[in-house]
Amino acid sequence: MTATTKGPAAYFPSIEKKYGRPIVEWQDLIRAAPPTRHMELVNWLKAEHGLGHGHANALVAHTLAER
């Protein structure tokens, strides 16, 4: 039986494919970004890097959950 990835990480393969960067790079950008609140970071990724809302939200949620 194969384990299915759930939650924000389920978006990671499509994010890497669509935007051409590994997840680690996106997480490094998020950690180094000046905004610190969830929606500020989502909006920043959308405006500065052209991510869609769902992809930006997944990256931010997963990265901020590490704190």
Side-chain angles (χ1 to χ4, degrees):
M1 179 183 253
T2 309
T4 303
T5 304
K6 296 183 182 196
Y11 287 95
F12 289 179
S14 62
I15 292 170
E16 289 178 333
K17 183 177 179 180
K18 183 168 184 168
Y19 303 104
R21 284 183 161 175
I23 296 304
V24 172
E25 283 186 27
W26 290 114
Q27 290 178 317
D28 288 344
L29 284 172
I30 292 166
R31 289 182 195 110
T36 57
R37 299 182 74 187
H38 182 95
M39 284 311 296
E40 290 174 338
L41 290 164
V42 169
N43 290 331
W44 174 75
L45 286 171
K46 290 166 58 177
E48 295 294 320
H49 298 284
L51 269 72
H53 182 82
H55 287 161
N57 190 56
L59 284 166
V60 171
H62 193 269
T63 303
L64 293 182
E66 296 172 344
R67 293 183 184 172

